[in-house]
């Protein structure tokens, strides 16, 4: 192993990852960066992954296991952050892999250039077929020199291939603590908010185009589950909330950083996800409820007012016309009235 000076804390929220967790842990103990502590937060797992975690915690002194009742990945990550002692922190999903030089590469960048954040590219892999592809194609985004966090976020969002995932980087722990950055409990895709606010606060960031992480897509992935009916409505509410919280971030930081057009437009893109889900919903009553909540939650207004390009203006107008056309006000009112009675 390479002898290194900067300590890195790797945090893994663990919930029923199965046998895949063993491969994840093997990839971490094989890391060429030696100044490493690995914090596994068992989030109430009930499968074999608990035994795997215990095995590695007993075998390796730099691995610790924390156990909590099931509370979700956000709470588990926050718990891991509280236990971390490294100068930098990183996050890994329990069913993914890290390439052996991942943290050597990122920590070398971070220490050499005094970075708040060092980020890398990743490979995405379909578990069913084994087909892999690079997350950010090189023609969309190349390695950078040192940038401010807002400038990097603007460039990354403009590529339309960068994704809000926390496992593609290492982060200075002191910066995260100073800005009080934590994950929102119970919110799906909380990485979107966390990574946005992180970059709003980061002063020095670099990106390498090298793929250093392998992310596995499978049928049980949150983003791939096919939802209909009430489950679909509940899931889309997370995106509605994300649009509200992203807009709040833009307001809160408006006097501290430049709020680039891309920061407004990511709100529009998240809102369009919800609009597309309306078209795919088969239950007419749930569809009407979704349309009603798009308006009553303020998401429609956020989608329209944050447009900053002709392309998105066209999309917003197109979906405005569709939503108003599909909206059955009488049906929606009857549904809301029935639910109000049931809640009494």
């Amino acid at each position: 192993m390479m002898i290194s000076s900067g300590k890195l804390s790797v945090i893994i929220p663990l919930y029923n990852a199965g046998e895949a967790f063993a491969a994840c842990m093997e990839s971490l103990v094989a890391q060429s960066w030696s100044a490493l502590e690995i914090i596994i937060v068992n989030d109430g797992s009930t499968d074999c992954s608990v035994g795997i975690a215990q095995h590695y915690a007993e075998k390796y002194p730099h691995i610790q296991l924390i156990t909590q009742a099931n509370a979700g990945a956000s709470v588990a990550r926050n718990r891991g952050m509280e236990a971390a002692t490294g100068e930098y922190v990183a996050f890994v999903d329990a069913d993914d892999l890290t390439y052996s030089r991942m943290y050597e590469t990122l920590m070398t960048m971070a220490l050499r250039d005094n970075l708040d954040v060092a980020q890398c590219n990743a490979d995405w892999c379909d578990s069913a077929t084994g087909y892999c592809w690079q997350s950010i194609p090189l023609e969309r985004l190349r390695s950078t020199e040192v940038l401010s966090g807002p400038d990097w976020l603007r460039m990354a969002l403009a590529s339309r291939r960068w994704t809000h995932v926390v496992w593609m980087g290492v982060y200075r722990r002191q910066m995260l603590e100073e800005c009080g950055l934590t994950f929102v409990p119970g919110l799906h895709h909380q990485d979107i908010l966390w990574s946005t606010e992180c970059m709003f606060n980061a002063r020095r960031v670099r990106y390498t185009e090298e793929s250093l992480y392998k992310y596995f897509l499978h049928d049980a992935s949150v983003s791939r589950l096919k939802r209909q009916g009430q489950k679909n409505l509940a899931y889309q509410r997370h995106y509605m909330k994300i649009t509200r919280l992203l807009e709040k971030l833009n307001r809160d930081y408006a006097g501290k950083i430049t709020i680039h057009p891309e920061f407004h437009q990511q709100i529009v893109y998240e809102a369009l996800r919800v609009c597309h889900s309306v078209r795919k919903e088969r239950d007419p009553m749930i569809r009407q409820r979704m349309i009603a909540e798009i308006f009553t939650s303020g998401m429609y207004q956020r989608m329209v007012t944050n447009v900053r390009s002709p392309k998105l203006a066209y999309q917003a107008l197109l979906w405005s016309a569709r939503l108003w056309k599909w909206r059955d006000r009488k049906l929606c009112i009857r549904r809301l009235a029935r639910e109000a009675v049931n809640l009494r």
Side-chain angles (χ1 to χ4, degrees):
M1 274 193 174
M2 174 183 174
I3 303 300
S4 50
S5 56
K7 186 176 181 181
L8 173 67
S9 301
V10 179
I11 298 165
I12 314 166
L14 174 64
Y15 180 72
N16 290 353
E19 294 291 348
F21 184 51
C24 175
M25 290 304 301
E26 281 299 309
S27 75
L28 286 170
V29 298
Q31 283 294 311
S32 57
W33 190 255
S34 62
L36 196 69
E37 73 172 357
I38 300 171
I39 303 170
I40 306 167
V41 183
N42 173 30
D43 185 38
S45 296
T46 57
D47 69 352
C48 65
S49 58
V50 179
I52 295 170
Q54 291 170 339
H55 165 76
Y56 280 93
E58 291 168 1
K59 183 176 181 180
Y60 296 96
H62 66 297
I63 299 177
Q64 65 170 297
L65 174 61
I66 299 171
T67 298
Q68 65 179 31
N70 180 248
S74 292
V75 175
R77 284 174 174 170
N78 291 339
R79 184 83 180 274
M81 289 276 289
E82 292 171 359
T85 62
E87 183 181 352
Y88 288 83
V89 297
F91 304 93
V92 171
D93 284 356
D95 52 357
D96 294 338
L97 299 176
T98 54
Y99 297 153
S100 62
R101 291 184 58 256
M102 177 172 182
Y103 294 125
E104 176 188 342
T105 301
L106 293 177
M107 287 299 293
T108 298
M109 289 167 56
L111 296 175
R112 181 186 62 215
D113 292 320
N114 189 27
L115 302 178
D116 292 318
V117 180
Q119 285 199 317
C120 65
N121 208 339
D123 291 330
W124 292 55
C125 182
D126 188 305
S127 295
T129 65
Y131 175 71
C132 294
W133 64 96
Q134 198 169 40
S135 177
I136 309 174
L138 299 185
E139 63 270 18
R140 289 296 186 105
L141 200 59
R142 302 304 300 255
S143 298
T144 70
E145 296 302 319
V146 177
L147 300 167
S148 71
D151 284 345
W152 159 243
L153 181 60
R154 179 188 190 185
M155 179 185 296
L157 290 172
S159 76
R160 296 295 302 143
R161 287 296 182 272
W162 181 80
T163 51
H164 286 283
V165 289
V166 298
W167 36 256
M168 286 168 67
V170 299
Y171 311 87
R172 194 194 302 272
R173 185 163 63 90
Q174 182 180 355
M175 176 198 70
L176 302 178
E177 291 177 349
E178 286 177 351
C179 65
L181 186 55
T182 58
F183 293 91
V184 180
L187 181 67
H188 286 314
H189 305 296
Q190 71 277 0
D191 291 27
I192 298 172
L193 296 168
W194 193 94
S195 56
T196 296
E197 188 167 8
C198 177
M199 293 307 172
F200 281 6
N201 284 276
R203 296 180 180 179
R204 296 177 63 82
V205 178
R206 274 193 69 189
Y207 165 75
T208 175
E209 65 198 33
E210 185 179 358
S211 290
L212 299 172
Y213 188 100
K214 193 170 189 177
Y215 173 74
F216 288 95
L217 282 164
H218 47 79
D219 290 340
S221 298
V222 171
S223 58
R224 294 188 103 186
L225 287 174
K226 292 179 172 57
R227 300 173 179 86
Q228 286 289 313
Q230 192 63 40
K231 289 183 178 179
N232 186 26
L233 173 60
Y235 184 67
Q236 298 309 322
R237 284 172 177 158
H238 289 273
Y239 281 115
M240 294 181 198
K241 183 176 181 179
I242 284 170
T243 65
R244 176 172 58 81
L245 295 177
L246 282 174
E247 190 169 70
K248 183 177 184 300
L249 281 179
N250 284 349
R251 289 197 306 269
D252 291 347
Y253 282 86
K256 304 172 186 177
I257 64 171
T258 301
I259 303 299
H260 296 292
E262 289 81 3
F263 303 167
H264 290 283
Q265 291 183 173
Q266 72 169 330
I267 297 170
V268 182
Y269 282 115
E270 300 304 335
L272 288 172
R273 291 176 188 266
V274 182
C275 293
H276 284 288
S277 74
V278 173
R279 181 169 55 182
K280 297 176 182 178
E281 176 55 53
R282 293 192 293 266
D283 185 326
M285 295 301 293
I286 294 295
R287 175 187 264 206
Q288 287 303 314
R289 183 60 187 266
M290 290 172 67
I291 293 172
E293 292 194 20
I294 285 172
F295 290 98
T296 59
S297 69
M299 195 203 80
Y300 172 77
Q301 183 178 6
R302 289 190 287 274
M303 178 176 72
V304 173
T305 58
N306 282 283
V307 166
R308 294 295 187 277
S309 73
K311 179 181 177 180
L312 282 186
Y314 171 77
Q315 289 292 319
L317 286 171
L318 177 65
W319 278 103
S320 295
R322 287 172 173 169
L323 292 173
W324 284 102
K325 178 182 177 181
W326 296 341
R327 195 180 190 189
D328 187 330
R329 291 177 181 82
K330 292 181 179 179
L331 185 65
C332 188
I333 290 170
R334 289 198 300 271
R335 176 64 178 266
L336 291 172
R338 283 200 302 271
E339 291 188 357
V341 170
N342 292 334
L343 289 173
R344 289 176 185 172

